[in-house]
Amino acid sequence: MPIPDEVTGDEIDRSVRQELLSLPKTLAVDVARNLVMVANLLDEEPERAYAYSRVALRLASRVGAVREAAGFAAYGVEKYAEALTEFRAARRMTGSVHLWPIMADCERGIGRPERALAMAGEPEVQQLDKAGQIEMRLVAAGARRDLGQPDAAVVTLECPELASTAVHPWTARLRYAYADALLAVGREEEARTWFAKALDADQGGVTNASDRLAELDGVEFVDALDPDLDDEDGIEDEEDEEPRQA
């Protein structure tokens, strides 16, 4: 697949570059450039990111960082079984547990929420950093809802980090998930409070808390760029306009 000339491969993290040192230099550069394309496209064009990840995988399937990137690319296009295979391979190669929450979420995607819940109770969770533990909690709550246990999902999300006034990169998502869980069990007023708290913490726009708040408040947004709306308004304006005096 074509790669822009300005993508050199030097853009990747130093740790990944270190892993690629096991490859011949020219091959390492090719793999690095494909990994950069995966990272650049993952959010906006996941299908293209997936295609570049397959190239990198074909070139260097024995490199942990490549297997991890392939896992994220597969996850991005909802190929959960494939993603889980890649994440497991990356974990075997690196020994790291940081992929544990997303591996559990892949189990949910495959249709095995009970397996995701089991993983939430494994010793590996204690080895995760705080962000990873919060992510695991979010996955476990989602699994509870998959199993038709919405009240248990609420309880799963109730933790000291939820009540903390400190704002971390994961705070907005945790508050949002709690608000959504509350709404699912009919606790609408509390849900509104927590959607508002999620919005306060959402500095990067990672949730749609503002839309959910507006929905609860009965506010409807109008697309000012909608051509159909313009046509309707134009007709009304013409009908309401008084005849001009000569």
Side-chain angles (χ1 to χ4, degrees):
M1 294 184 65
I3 298 176
D5 292 339
E6 60 268 23
V7 175
T8 65
D10 292 335
E11 301 90 342
I12 61 174
D13 291 342
R14 181 179 300 178
S15 60
V16 177
R17 195 155 49 239
Q18 196 71 24
E19 285 192 62
L20 296 180
L21 290 178
S22 62
L23 303 174
K25 186 174 180 179
T26 302
L27 179 58
V29 171
D30 288 344
V31 173
R33 295 180 73 211
N34 277 280
L35 292 181
V36 171
M37 294 302 294
V38 173
N40 289 347
L41 297 168
L42 195 56
D43 292 334
E44 301 297 330
E45 300 182 64
E47 291 287 351
R48 289 185 65 204
Y50 176 74
Y52 280 105
S53 76
R54 302 308 296 177
V55 175
L57 192 60
R58 187 172 67 248
L59 294 174
S61 61
R62 295 185 179 182
V63 176
V66 172
R67 303 302 290 267
E68 181 174 331
F72 278 107
Y75 182 87
V77 293
E78 300 182 2
K79 295 179 182 288
Y80 298 117
E82 185 178 317
L84 184 57
T85 297
E86 299 303 336
F87 288 141
R88 283 173 173 167
R91 184 165 181 267
R92 285 195 303 270
M93 292 174 180
T94 64
S96 174
V97 298
H98 74 281
L99 294 171
W100 197 253
I102 196 169
M103 289 169 62
D105 205 39
C106 286
E107 295 284 5
R108 286 184 62 209
I110 295 169
R112 299 193 296 230
E114 68 287 344
R115 176 57 189 149
L117 281 177
M119 291 178 69
E122 295 289 341
E124 284 83 354
V125 176
Q126 302 307 314
Q127 301 175 45
L128 296 168
D129 60 14
K130 181 58 67 177
Q133 290 178 7
I134 293 298
E135 195 63 39
M136 192 71 245
R137 190 176 290 275
L138 293 172
V139 172
R144 288 293 185 190
R145 293 181 67 171
D146 293 343
L147 291 167
Q149 302 169 2
D151 289 295
V154 172
V155 174
T156 299
L157 293 167
E158 291 174 340
C159 57
E161 293 81 7
L162 182 65
S164 174
T165 57
V167 175
H168 302 278
W170 40 260
T171 301
R173 291 180 60 239
L174 177 61
R175 293 177 180 178
Y176 181 93
Y178 187 56
D180 195 45
L182 288 169
L183 194 59
V185 296
R187 294 161 64 177
E188 187 171 310
E189 285 303 315
E190 291 173 87
R192 193 195 184 289
T193 296
W194 282 98
F195 277 129
K197 290 183 177 182
L199 182 60
D200 288 341
D202 195 354
Q203 301 169 349
V206 297
T207 74
N208 67 336
S210 60
D211 292 341
R212 301 298 297 277
L213 276 171
E215 183 179 306
L216 286 173
D217 291 339
V219 176
E220 292 186 11
F221 292 101
V222 176
D223 185 356
L225 300 179
D226 187 342
D228 295 333
L229 183 64
D230 289 342
D231 291 343
E232 292 174 6
D233 289 346
I235 293 171
E236 291 177 2
D237 289 345
E238 289 176 6
E239 292 174 348
D240 294 340
E241 187 177 355
E242 292 290 335
R244 294 188 181 187
Q245 298 297 322

